[in-house]
Amino acid sequence: RAVEKLRVFYRVMQVAAFTFFTGNLVGGVSELLWRSLPAGRLTEGVISGIATVAYFLTTTTVVILSSCPIDELDFDIFVSTRPAVCLALGFVSALPSGSRLLESPVPRYLGFAASLAMMIHGLLALKCCQHCLRHTRQGVERWLPSFCTLLELWFVDVIVSSTINEVALDEPSLITNVWLAAHASIALVLFIWMRCVQTQATLRLFAAGYVSVSWGSSFYGCRAVDMALGHKQFEEGRQLDIAIGASIAFSFVQLFPLLVVFAVGRAWLFKQLATWLDHYRSLQLQDGAFMAMLLDSYVVEVGQPWWLTK
């Protein structure tokens, strides 16, 4: 029973890793489209819709992961045996950080470095690299932070650097700036406190995800307020109504999944996910049994056509 429970945990985490990868990949695509396509109502509306889906998938990742029983789960062990997951998560988390390396006054250096370190985790776990780097692997792993710590640093960089860059803008947004600064300060104090009391790594990661998502909802909510009040400097040719609507949508899709978890409970959500995954697995087993039955009932005779898969 314990093995079966662990299998369900890992299946749920695989779903969460997929939504995180997809969300960040879609978000990176929306960033590229926003920087390359000309302004226009249709263009901005489509790109805003794509970005909304990206934010929803990223928030869903935090919700799915947090539904697992925290005291029975070790996220570091899960990723350490799956180099493809490490490489994928590191790559997609590097996309938003890399696109903001030239921001001022605080570029996203910390988040980008954390993303590169995640990919190093994946490379060290590959069998081919284990053979080639067998002499230096232990030394690198000794100084390389754990995967949970790297994700924490990535979340901290998102919150702190984005808050400082927003507050540093020459805009009359005193109330929203104070709110964002207070939110970011509480998040930073929470991260430091959980480190000081040596909280379990998986629990720290979940807390970082929740705080980051709630901060993101505040960030875009404040941005919508500033644009509606005329406090936000706006690029010429951009559609103000679409920008306000997009910011409201970004804020909503990041907050709504958290409210759903608080309303229905983590245990109920995990039970529903486990039931859905078990049903999907049983369908796969039934398909496999049906194909085995067909092959078993097929009589091979001399001279009949035969197909080989290449």
Side-chain angles (χ1 to χ4, degrees):
R1 183 175 176 82
V3 174
E4 181 67 16
K5 196 173 186 180
L6 187 63
R7 183 189 63 80
V8 175
F9 288 167
Y10 283 178
R11 290 291 295 273
V12 171
M13 283 193 289
Q14 286 174 350
V15 174
F18 174 77
T19 56
F20 184 82
F21 175 83
T22 307
N24 279 277
L25 185 62
V26 173
V29 171
S30 67
E31 286 278 349
L32 292 175
L33 292 175
W34 185 260
R35 297 170 188 267
S36 58
L37 295 180
R41 294 192 65 86
L42 179 61
T43 302
E44 294 179 33
V46 171
I47 296 176
S48 297
I50 295 174
T52 302
V53 174
Y55 282 118
F56 178 76
L57 289 173
T58 306
T59 306
T60 303
T61 301
V62 177
V63 170
I64 292 174
L65 277 177
S66 65
S67 68
C68 297
I70 297 172
D71 56 337
E72 303 179 40
L73 179 64
D74 193 325
F75 188 77
D76 279 327
I77 293 178
F78 169 74
V79 296
S80 64
T81 57
R82 292 167 173 81
V85 174
C86 296
L87 291 170
L89 295 183
F91 172 73
V92 296
S93 61
L95 292 178
S97 299
S99 64
R100 291 173 171 79
L101 288 176
L102 300 179
E103 283 189 347
S104 61
V106 182
R108 296 280 294 277
Y109 293 146
L110 179 61
F112 190 71
S115 301
L116 294 180
M118 293 180 208
M119 288 188 275
I120 293 175
H121 265 287
L123 291 174
L124 293 176
L126 291 172
K127 290 185 178 180
C128 57
C129 293
Q130 287 178 2
H131 177 73
C132 299
L133 303 174
R134 60 183 180 275
H135 300 298
T136 59
R137 182 168 176 257
Q138 291 184 349
V140 174
E141 288 181 338
R142 188 180 298 113
W143 294 100
L144 193 65
S146 67
F147 207 90
C148 279
T149 300
L150 293 173
L151 278 173
E152 283 182 80
L153 292 175
W154 189 80
F155 283 129
V156 169
D157 184 56
V158 170
I159 295 173
V160 175
S161 62
S162 299
T163 300
I164 295 175
N165 293 338
E166 184 71 16
V167 173
L169 295 175
D170 185 18
E171 297 172 347
S173 309
L174 178 61
I175 297 177
T176 54
N177 285 344
V178 169
W179 172 261
L180 283 178
H183 201 154
S185 300
I186 294 172
L188 188 59
V189 169
L190 177 63
F191 293 148
I192 296 174
W193 176 79
M194 295 183 76
R195 273 284 175 179
C196 292
V197 299
Q198 297 182 346
T199 307
Q200 182 189 3
T202 306
L203 179 58
R204 292 199 317 268
L205 176 60
F206 290 165
Y210 269 104
V211 172
S212 178
V213 168
S214 64
W215 176 88
S217 180
S218 290
F219 178 83
Y220 284 107
C222 291
R223 173 166 287 191
V225 171
D226 287 339
M227 286 189 292
L229 296 177
H231 296 167
K232 178 68 63 179
Q233 295 179 0
F234 210 68
E235 298 180 28
E236 185 177 355
R238 298 293 182 184
Q239 309 298 318
L240 180 60
D241 56 340
I242 294 180
I244 294 174
S247 295
I248 294 174
F250 297 162
S251 179
F252 175 77
V253 297
Q254 292 185 79
L255 184 62
F256 179 72
L258 301 185
L259 297 178
V260 171
V261 174
F262 292 140
V264 303
R266 293 172 45 248
W268 183 88
L269 181 61
F270 179 77
K271 183 179 179 181
Q272 295 300 120
L273 285 170
T275 301
W276 175 72
L277 290 172
D278 281 340
H279 178 68
Y280 178 73
R281 183 169 180 265
S282 65
L283 290 178
Q284 289 182 317
L285 292 175
Q286 290 176 11
D287 291 342
F290 178 71
M291 293 302 298
M293 182 185 67
L294 288 179
L295 292 174
D296 187 58
S297 62
Y298 191 75
V299 179
V300 180
E301 298 177 354
V302 178
Q304 67 183 166
W306 196 258
W307 289 269
L308 298 176
T309 57
K310 295 183 179 180

